Amino acid sequence: SDTPQRTITFTTNGQGGAANQNLTDGAANVNLWLPNHNAYVAPAETIETVNIATSSMSAEQGNAAGAAITVTTKSGTNSFKGSAFEFHTNQALNANDFSFAGTVTPPDDIVRNTFGGTTRGPILRNRLFFFGSYEGYYSHTEETEFYRVPDERARNGDFSHFFNTNGT
């Protein structure tokens, strides 16, 4: 199955998503071919602050008829700091599937992990710092598909026994 595209977009002040101005660390963050999508979505653990202005924006947040979204990422510090995370899901955590016939089938055997971490600290105290992050994604899916094989009459070109859902 195809993985759905994930976007971070919303409408503000009656404007479409393309009317929003997205800034990451002060630089415009826009996909030129899809203007209501960010070119880069920072991993959650790397974000320090998020500011959303919907009216009376300052000059550096201009160029927006909708909202001005400013994301500031973390940076190095004079002390060593870090974080680690993991999001996990598997068959035991998933809900049962329900078919149109009203029967309950056990959930697919899906294992997904998103994991990573950050680290930051000084290189030269009060002068030079470092910040690094990693985010990984692992997905293992076992899927079962059901296909209908045409019977002998259909393979010979006789489709008289096939009907639409309305009986025609």
Side-chain angles (χ1 to χ4, degrees):
S1 66
D2 293 332
T3 302
Q5 281 290 31
R6 297 183 184 177
T7 61
I8 298 176
T9 186
F10 56 92
T11 60
T12 307
N13 297 336
Q15 303 293 318
N20 296 334
Q21 172 69 14
N22 296 294
L23 301 171
T24 301
D25 291 331
N29 185 359
V30 63
N31 183 329
L32 296 177
W33 293 274
L34 298 168
N36 59 330
H37 293 72
N38 289 340
Y40 173 72
V41 178
E45 284 292 314
T46 66
I47 296 175
E48 183 78 34
T49 62
V50 175
N51 180 28
I52 301 174
T54 59
S55 61
S56 300
M57 298 161 210
S58 61
E60 74 258 12
Q61 293 176 318
N63 197 28
I69 302 104
T70 304
V71 175
T72 306
T73 58
K74 295 176 182 176
S75 60
T77 63
N78 273 326
S79 59
F80 289 98
K81 296 181 180 181
S83 65
F85 67 91
E86 180 175 9
F87 302 105
H88 171 77
T89 187
N90 62 21
Q91 184 176 6
L93 300 171
N94 294 336
N96 291 331
D97 293 331
F98 292 88
S99 71
F100 290 111
T103 59
V104 178
T105 58
D108 290 333
D109 186 16
I110 298 172
V111 177
R112 289 190 182 119
N113 291 35
T114 303
F115 51 90
T118 64
T119 184
R120 56 184 169 162
I123 296 174
L124 295 173
R125 191 156 181 79
N126 294 325
R127 297 187 183 268
L128 185 62
F129 312 96
F130 73 91
F131 176 78
S133 72
Y134 174 78
E135 184 172 299
Y137 175 77
Y138 171 79
S139 177
H140 174 76
T141 305
E142 302 251 344
E143 291 187 23
T144 304
E145 300 288 336
F146 293 98
Y147 296 97
R148 186 179 232 180
V149 177
D151 62 14
E152 186 68 32
R153 290 187 296 173
R155 287 194 300 265
N156 290 325
D158 177 9
F159 301 108
S160 62
H161 59 289
F162 287 113
F163 298 98
N164 293 332
T165 55
N166 64 5
T168 60

